[in-house]
Amino acid sequence: MAELGFPKRLNSSLHSQVRDLRRQLAHVSKALADHGIDFEDLADEAEDFMHGARKNARRAARQVRRDADVIAHAAQKAPAATGTVLVVAAAVGFGLGFLYHLAQRD
């Protein structure tokens, strides 16, 4: 018998929460409308923005993959030059870090 009461209470609680959310959404929509902002237009603009952001992220990921392939191919063709570039980059990074540390002490 107690098992049958649980779903009813849960269902009632969910309906109450949905009702409260709808009231809050109506309040927010009215507040935005009072300031000359249409909630539906705002939602459409946000959706368009997200679509564009996803598209740009995919494009950037493809470009990063292409660049990584080019770098890997160049590293395979000239391993000595790759090693030299990495050593020089590490030395420059160490030098900059050392100079930054000295500048912070003063």
Side-chain angles (χ1 to χ4, degrees), residues 20-85:
D20 288 344
L21 286 172
R22 284 185 177 151
R23 271 192 229 117
Q24 290 173 5
L25 184 59
H27 179 71
V28 168
S29 294
K30 183 182 179 319
L32 289 172
D34 290 346
H35 292 290
I37 301 171
D38 183 22
F39 185 75
E40 296 298 324
D41 289 344
L42 195 61
D44 289 342
E45 288 177 21
E47 186 177 344
D48 292 344
F49 173 77
M50 288 302 297
H51 176 72
R54 270 190 233 109
K55 195 165 132 181
N56 288 337
R58 279 190 219 109
R59 190 177 304 137
R62 277 194 306 270
Q63 186 62 41
V64 166
R65 275 189 232 112
R66 278 189 224 121
D67 291 348
D69 288 343
V70 167
I71 291 169
H73 185 69
Q76 287 174 349
K77 286 222 174 242
T82 303
T84 303
V85 167

Side-chain angles (χ1 to χ4, degrees), residues 10-21:
L10 181 62
N11 195 19
S12 174
S13 175
L14 287 175
H15 281 297
S16 174
Q17 289 177 8
V18 167
R19 202 173 25 252
D20 288 344
L21 286 172

